[in-house]
Amino acid sequence: MTIEELELIAKNVKQENDKYDYEVNVCMDLACASQGAGALKDALVKAAETSEKKVLVRRTGCMGPCSHGPLVRLDPDETLYHHVHAESAEAIVKNLGEAPVPELQCDLNEHFDKQVRVVLENAGYIDPEKIDDYIARDGYKALLTMLVEMTPNGVVHRITESGLRGRGGGGYPTGLKWSTVAKANGDVKYVVCNGDEGDPGAFMDRSVMEGDPHRVIEGMAIAGYAVGASKGFIYVRAEYPVAVSRLTTALREARRHGLLGNNIANTPFNFDVEIRLGAGAFVCGEETALIASIEGRRGTPKPRPPYPAASGLWGKPTLINNVETFANIAPIMRNGGKWFFNMGSERSKGTKVFALTGKIANTGLVEVPMGIKLREIIEEIGGGVPGGHKFKAVQTGGPSGGCIPEEMLDVGVSYDALLKMGSIMGSGGMIVMDDTSCMVNVARYFIEFCMTESCGKCIPCRAGTAQMFTLLTRICNGTGTLDDLALLEDLCSTVKETSLCGLGQTAPNPVLSTLKYFRDEYMEHILHKRCPAGVCQMEAVNSATSIEVMA
């Protein structure tokens, strides 16, 4: 495959699409599919076939506002329909070129206007199982241009210049990581994509793999060229069957077009990618545990150094980035490092994809520039808390993150700002809670998750999270004491400072942040045996009531 052949494919796709007067794009992400998007697409195809209008019906990946699904976007007028079902197919096709169907029209201007789409730029515009659709939107252009015009050092320099930081949670500078692997000694090196997204409420990486799989593959190939690797692995949990299927199709198509394999673009560069399935262990999101799992061993972390950049997969230098990080690479290579650097805040560049869930009107995927205020994300893009309830907190960073109260909502979203508030960026989960949520119970939920997902290798995490869960359960049940609260705080410090890997080191964050911002709720449970939100069942109160009744 050459650049000229790539341009010819893009030209042919455009000519083919120009034959149609209208395009009807149907979101086939899991959220929409679960609400009948498959039957809707079939009905739209049937309606298009019987219509005199020239209509192209296309399945796409996630368009963003999942709570409004099934979603349909009409082009060229870019009308968005929501809550669409199969029985509306004929009306949609009939009204093409005329006034939109009023009961289906969706007004989410503010939701989209605040977003800047880099990772999600193809969302809703391409069929994820058709490589030609990806190529028509500049897909693989960055890879082939780089192979012909740039040196590996030049690629590393551009990524470094962009200021991109790892989107998997830690925020380590991507250019520095690539540079380290590139300089490491060894004839064999590997590139690994971490698609083991296990945070409750998080679905950013899954949606990218399902909706734009070639973007991830292209990013990995560029990384392979930059660091001197000829083999890549995508580690994705087996619970993502649609992502696995679409990645498999994408890899097959990329090989068929000569975009993976030997002598890519008639150059000496060889690179191929394989998929490795994970069994759903949260701890395998940690680099060394992930490596162990790919190698066929039990997925448990090990002390570092050595770091994977020096001794990773099968003892060879290994570059590990997550899905969203790789999805940023091709746009950076096409548009330049300074283009990406000029977006975002001082120390957090570019955009970030978040999965908005919980007590929020517009649940789904959003992509916003770094530095945007939390209030803008929740109240304007997310549509605020529904049902007349009051916002209480937002959990960022999944079970490793913290709960941020309303008084902190005007802080700009960045790696450093969230860390100062007692939370982390994480991979991008953002769970909104309202006045019906008990923050003590929320902390218990996340500690239970970390306790269950602990690999058990180190005592602080294995025993510490279990004891923390016991103490939080007692407080929720109304049997906790002030001594229990003091012990809980001591345990948080011990687990945080002595655990082997990031799972244990960050597990106390939900407890520490709720203690910092919502301590009054803990005191209500302990001193007054009352849950302010009415969520927790108080054993002490129930027992007292039973005794009183018996008397």
Side-chain angles (χ1 to χ4, degrees), residues 457-540:
K457 185 172 184 178
C458 73
I459 293 175
C461 181
R462 182 181 74 237
T465 54
Q467 185 62 19
M468 289 163 67
F469 175 71
T470 299
L471 292 170
L472 285 165
T473 299
R474 289 173 61 178
I475 294 172
C476 286
N477 290 345
T479 59
T481 65
L482 290 176
D483 288 340
D484 289 334
L485 188 62
L487 179 57
L488 179 64
E489 293 183 272
D490 287 343
L491 273 170
C492 285
S493 298
T494 302
V495 173
K496 192 177 186 71
E497 293 170 8
T498 60
S499 292
L500 176 60
C501 79
L503 190 155
Q505 292 163 8
T506 57
N509 283 347
V511 182
L512 290 170
S513 62
T514 51
L515 280 168
K516 180 179 181 180
Y517 299 118
F518 302 96
R519 195 178 190 90
D520 58 318
E521 293 198 22
Y522 283 84
M523 301 310 291
E524 281 286 320
H525 283 73
I526 293 170
L527 298 179
H528 303 294
K529 311 303 179 186
R530 188 180 76 88
C531 175
V535 173
C536 302
Q537 298 297 316
M538 296 290 170
E539 290 184 5

Side-chain angles (χ1 to χ4, degrees), residues 29 37 130 155 180 193 210-211 240 282 323 354 364 399 409 441 464 468 500 522:
D29 185 64
K130 291 185 177 179
V155 176
T180 304
C193 175
E210 289 177 358
Y240 288 174
F282 180 67
V323 170
F354 290 102
L409 287 185
N441 191 56
M468 289 163 67
L500 176 60
Y522 283 84

